[in-house]
Amino acid sequence: MVDAVAEALTWPFFEPRHRELHARLSSWLAEAKLPEHLSPHATQAELDAHCRDWVRALGEAGWLRHAVAGREHGGESDTLDTRTLCLLRETLGAHDGLADFAFAMQGLGSGAISLASSPALKARYLPRVASGEAIAAFALSEPDAGSDVAAMATTAQRDGDARVLNGEKTWISNGGIADFYVVFARQVAPGATPEARGTGSIAAFVVDADTPGFEIAERIDVMAPHPLARLVFRDCRVPAANCLAEGENGAGFKLAMRTLDVFRTSVAAAALGFARRALAEGLDRAVSRSMFGQRLADLQLTQAKLADMALAVDSAALLTYRAAWRRDQGHTVTREAAMAKLAATENAQRVIDAAVQLWGGAGVRSGAVVERLYRDIRALRIYEGASEVQQLIIARELLK
């Protein structure tokens, strides 16, 4: 099969450096000694070790340098290039969902530091993220505040030169293996009552994993295994110097949204990578499987299915890289990123389901490539803004 990503790189969204980057990453994935695909029956300890191995491999090979901003802090460039993030996630996702996860979380977990921290915090954390020495996490969601960030209940009370955090976060990727967490909390003055709702008082902090008062309360198992946890803060004292954005005029909330705006388009790219792999697997099955005295590919129903899969993949790719290109040109891409994530994740679900169908019974066998993709894709339609939230964003932008 033609390298579909290389073919797409001829589109006007890309520059020669992007084509060279894809070629190098593809060669590395094909030739380097990398972690094997994780068994769906792996233990929590095996999963944690596997993800650490991927972070280490990506860091040693220099790929994580693209996930942080600032050459002086280990970054490949001084700003995050959205097309690069997307291209890396798409290529890694087509290879192994946990490879994509390891790369993406280094970027998302440290993204707020790249965007808004002091030089001291950048120097302390970003070089270790870029080298794979430190694992990052982004802690925004709560039991009653997922898509509805305004319902956040975790608080950060000012106490001299410290901020005291109380509350909990959940569904936190890299929870349990991260060395530090970017945590969002509602800032309150001593003796004051926290807001019941709203985003104006939300602040952001860097919390090291060994900080007293911070604990991993629960490890969460999901259908596509990756490190995930519920976090609890009990009088957790964080130095004021670790504050990324104070809770004034919505500074913390705006920082969270800026971080998500960078990486939301890359979620679409990861879904695109899953879909491209599923289409390739479906094509391989169609041309190699004999049925009723002919190839499966010779049946018109199969050809119609393959056509629909190809259409879904290319339409998602166009929306994804339009959003990435526009952001790299300095445009606000709230609507474009929402369209890309919505289309790419929903389309990928359909493409992967079709690939499983083409594989028949072999497609639902535990450990099969299409079975793994089927589990991998489902969460992407929920995290970093569920599909329904993306629809609301698109409509809101249209109605402005």
Side-chain angles (χ1 to χ4, degrees):
M1 180 182 174
V2 174
D3 184 339
V5 181
E7 190 174 34
L9 284 168
T10 63
W11 296 348
F13 299 125
F14 300 101
E15 300 169 21
R17 62 189 176 92
H18 296 115
R19 291 186 278 276
E20 188 271 337
L21 183 71
H22 169 67
R24 283 196 296 113
L25 179 56
S26 296
S27 295
W28 181 72
L29 290 171
E31 298 167 6
K33 186 176 181 181
L34 300 171
E36 299 288 338
H37 293 298
L38 186 71
S39 165
H41 309 295
T43 65
Q44 186 72 64
E46 290 170 335
L47 170 62
D48 291 352
H50 189 80
C51 287
R52 289 191 179 97
D53 287 345
W54 264 118
V55 171
R56 187 180 306 111
L58 291 165
E60 289 176 352
W63 300 114
L64 294 181
R65 295 180 61 201
H66 298 281
V68 303
R71 289 186 176 89
E72 63 182 307
H73 303 304
E76 182 68 21
S77 63
D78 288 330
T79 59
L80 292 168
D81 184 78
T82 317
R83 287 166 294 173
T84 294
L85 291 172
C86 288
L87 187 58
L88 289 171
R89 289 200 66 180
E90 178 183 352
T91 308
L92 289 169
H95 176 78
D96 188 321
L98 282 173
D100 163 66
F101 169 83
F103 174 83
M105 285 312 305
Q106 289 296 91
L108 180 63
S110 65
I113 300 175
S114 285
L115 291 172
S117 77
S118 67
L121 287 180
K122 288 181 179 179
R124 179 178 174 186
Y125 291 102
L126 294 183
R128 294 190 295 139
V129 171
S131 67
E133 179 186 347
I135 295 178
F138 181 83
L140 180 65
S141 297
E142 299 184 1
D144 296 314
S147 297
D148 184 10
V149 178
M152 183 178 295
T154 298
T155 59
Q157 188 174 59
R158 301 184 186 189
D159 184 15
D161 62 354
R163 303 293 183 264
V164 182
L165 274 61
N166 282 283
E168 65 179 273
K169 299 289 180 179
T170 194
W171 304 111
I172 305 306
S173 293
N174 274 348
I177 69 169
D179 296 288
F180 69 89
Y181 299 76
V182 171
V183 180
F184 296 84
R186 193 176 298 285
Q187 198 162 42
V188 293
T193 301
E195 291 180 311
R197 287 189 59 82
T199 58
S201 63
I202 293 175
F205 308 88
V206 183
V207 180
D208 291 315
D210 60 358
T211 304
F214 168 79
E215 66 177 89
I216 304 298
E218 177 188 11
R219 296 299 298 272
I220 303 171
D221 294 325
V222 289
M223 62 192 295
H226 64 275
L228 200 65
R230 178 169 62 90
L231 322 177
V232 170
F233 304 87
R234 295 188 179 93
D235 294 330
C236 177
R237 295 180 64 85
V238 179
N242 279 30
C243 184
L244 299 174
E246 293 281 9
E248 299 171 356
N249 302 316
F253 173 76
K254 291 173 184 176
L255 178 57
M257 295 304 104
R258 285 175 62 201
T259 306
L260 290 173
D261 274 349
V262 174
F263 291 94
R264 180 167 287 143
T265 304
S266 79
V267 178
L272 177 60
F274 294 164
R276 284 202 196 280
R277 180 64 183 273
L279 175 57
E281 294 292 325
L283 279 168
D284 286 346
R285 180 67 167 181
V287 300
S288 63
R289 174 69 166 173
S290 295
M291 186 171 289
F292 305 120
Q294 57 188 326
R295 300 182 309 168
L296 181 60
D298 295 324
L299 300 175
Q300 287 185 330
L301 284 173
T302 301
Q303 293 171 12
K305 189 181 293 290
L306 291 170
D308 286 343
M309 293 166 73
L311 176 62
V313 168
D314 272 17
S315 59
L318 287 163
L319 285 170
T320 298
Y321 286 108
R322 177 189 70 165
W325 176 80
R326 281 186 58 80
R327 187 183 180 281
D328 288 341
Q329 307 312 305
H331 299 289
T332 299
V333 293
T334 303
R335 185 182 72 168
E336 290 86 348
M339 285 182 167
K341 183 180 186 295
L342 177 62
T345 56
E346 293 293 329
N347 285 4
Q349 182 79 61
R350 290 192 290 272
V351 170
I352 293 167
D353 184 76
V356 172
Q357 197 73 10
L358 287 169
W359 275 83
V364 294
R365 186 171 183 172
S366 182
V369 172
V370 291
E371 182 269 344
R372 186 177 73 240
L373 290 167
Y374 195 86
R375 289 183 287 107
D376 283 341
I377 188 55
R378 191 59 186 85
L380 272 66
R381 295 169 61 203
I382 297 173
Y383 77 67
E384 291 192 41
S387 292
E388 293 76 11
V389 172
Q390 305 311 318
Q391 290 174 316
L392 293 174
I393 292 171
I394 295 165
R396 182 192 65 199
E397 293 298 308
L398 288 172
L399 292 168
K400 278 185 177 179

